[in-house]
Amino acid sequence: MPNHPPQNLTVATTGASGGIFLRQFLQAVVLDRQIQTVNFIASDSALRVLAEELGLRGRSNLVGQILGSSMRDSRGRPPRKIRLQSNDDIGANVASGSYPADAMVVVPCSVGTLARIAHGDASHLIERAADVSLKEKRPLVLCVRETPLNKIHIRNMYRAADAGATVFPLIPAFYYRPASLDEMAREFAYRVLAHLGLPQPAAFRWKG
Ligand SMILES: Cc1cc2nc3c(=O)[nH]c(=O)nc-3n(C[C@H](O)[C@H](O)[C@H](O)COP(=O)(O)O)c2cc1C
């Protein structure tokens, strides 16, 4: 972990179900003033699934579409601290260990992306940035979503965890009785951020 709360995050999204978890995570990241820079990468499959789940239409103003209207400025632009990177650009900043990324989160993480990360297949920016996180011993959180899991998925989760990643399955809690899907996904986002050293004041805390 860096010796300060992460200020420079890499957030990737892939073609697993769970678009609302991505939306709530990005919204929380925008609102957290400790986070200065977010490099955001979406796989092609992510766009396909986000079209189904969030009604996204193409890549135009992608970040603004994911965040929703409440987070855009008067001209419809998303906050500047989120920088969209192309998954095809293996020359982007986060492809190099010399770039000072503090931590990376893949939310949601498909089992396809999990497999490529677990096997060091760094042919696209998402997997390359994850590979860099592991080699530089930086936090890498994989919010894997699939059910049921086959042995290949389980082996790949083991491989990724063994290499230093945190497998943080996209499994929300229910004991705080979320009143909506958004609240459920928001609390999940808060748990991921707390895991990275960015506890959120609004997060539910179990008092026993
Ligand atoms: C509507 C929809 C839902 C999907 N849900 C999942 C899922 O929950 N988990 C998963 O691993 N793959 C899921 N997939 C399949 C992935 O999108 C597919 O394997 C894709 O190749 C993953 O590519 P990526 O890892 O580059 O994003 C889903 C696909 C569609 C169209």
Side-chain angles (χ1 to χ4, degrees), residues 14-17 43 45-46 48-49 52 110-113 116 145-146:
T14 67
S17 186
S43 73
S45 306
R48 178 71 179 83
V49 179
E52 298 294 330
S110 73
V111 288
T113 295
R116 290 189 292 276
R145 205 226 77 98
E146 187 51 281

Side-chain angles (χ1 to χ4, degrees), residues 43-60:
S43 73
D44 288 342
S45 306
L47 295 190
R48 178 71 179 83
V49 179
L50 290 170
E52 298 294 330
E53 297 188 346
L54 300 184
L56 259 65
R57 291 167 188 266
R59 283 193 178 263
S60 170

Side-chain angles (χ1 to χ4, degrees), residues 176-188:
Y176 56 84
R177 300 188 188 190
S180 65
L181 289 177
D182 282 347
E183 189 183 336
M184 181 191 74
R186 193 178 312 123
E187 288 295 338
F188 182 86

Side-chain angles (χ1 to χ4, degrees), residues 83-160:
R83 302 179 191 169
L84 182 63
Q85 306 291 352
S86 166
N87 198 25
D88 289 326
D89 184 8
I90 49 78
N93 51 13
V94 293
S96 172
S98 63
Y99 178 75
D102 291 321
M104 176 169 178
V105 177
V106 186
V107 59
C109 182
S110 73
V111 288
T113 295
L114 167 72
R116 290 189 292 276
I117 293 171
H119 288 81
D121 174 352
S123 48
H124 285 86
L125 186 61
I126 292 175
E127 292 85 359
R128 170 62 186 168
D131 202 62
V132 167
S133 302
L134 294 176
K135 81 182 177 78
E136 300 294 337
K137 311 282 187 228
R138 295 172 186 159
L140 170 65
V141 175
L142 305 177
C143 300
V144 177
R145 205 226 77 98
E146 187 51 281
T147 194
L149 295 166
N150 66 32
K151 282 194 182 179
I152 297 170
H153 306 148
I154 294 166
R155 284 195 195 102
N156 286 338
M157 284 194 277
Y158 178 83
R159 287 179 74 97

